[in-house]
Amino acid sequence: MYTCTGGCHCGQVKFEIEIPDKIIVQRCNCSICRKSGYLHLIVAANRFKLLDGEDSLVDYRFHTGVARHMFCGTCGVKSFYVPRSHPDSFSVNLNCVDLQDGIEVSIEDFDGRNWSESRAKLADS
């Protein structure tokens, strides 16, 4: 396992994650992910630690209201959130992670526009 740090653009929100040396991330085409360029890395809650910025997070919910999209209130970057598909985990935006050397990344496309039909294809993390 590797320990990596990450966060938002302005540095108010900082986190730490533990991930294996080979990871698979999903590139989703739903309305919010497509517009923000989000690359989903599902991390179990016990492998995610918010280091700083809890008071800077703004919670945004839409559609079913289950997913907790959390943005930095200063710079507007969503570096992680609690997804509807994995409510006991975090979806971390790979673009917000400072990856260590030696981590192999594979990107898979996910049809989030048809979430209900595509959900069954997600591997549980």
Side-chain angles (χ1 to χ4, degrees):
M1 294 298 271
Y2 286 80
T3 300
C4 298
T5 58
C8 67
H9 185 258
C10 72
Q12 293 280 338
V13 177
K14 298 175 185 166
F15 61 83
E16 181 178 275
I17 57 174
E18 290 181 20
I19 56 175
D21 62 344
K22 294 181 183 180
I23 57 174
I24 299 172
V25 297
Q26 284 80 37
R27 179 178 38 226
C28 179
N29 65 358
C30 79
S31 61
I32 195 166
C33 294
R34 183 176 46 81
K35 290 182 180 194
S36 64
Y38 205 95
L39 293 175
H40 296 266
L41 172 61
I42 302 298
V43 177
N46 65 346
R47 298 192 185 279
F48 177 93
K49 181 178 180 182
L50 183 60
L51 301 174
D52 202 11
E54 185 173 1
D55 57 340
S56 298
L57 292 172
V58 176
D59 194 327
Y60 171 67
R61 297 177 190 228
F62 66 98
H63 189 50
T64 64
V66 175
R68 294 186 56 222
H69 298 270
M70 293 173 277
F71 298 83
C72 172
T74 302
C75 68
V77 169
K78 178 175 76 168
S79 50
F80 66 91
Y81 78 105
V82 179
R84 178 169 54 150
S85 62
H86 296 81
D88 296 326
S89 299
F90 291 91
S91 176
V92 175
N93 186 350
L94 185 68
N95 291 319
C96 295
V97 176
D98 303 316
L99 284 180
Q100 292 188 24
D101 291 338
I103 298 175
E104 182 182 319
V105 178
S106 298
I107 300 174
E108 296 179 347
D109 287 325
F110 178 75
D111 185 10
R113 278 188 235 162
N114 299 295
W115 193 89
S116 295
E117 294 84 6
S118 300
R119 166 60 181 112
K121 298 176 188 172
L122 287 176
D124 288 319
S125 299

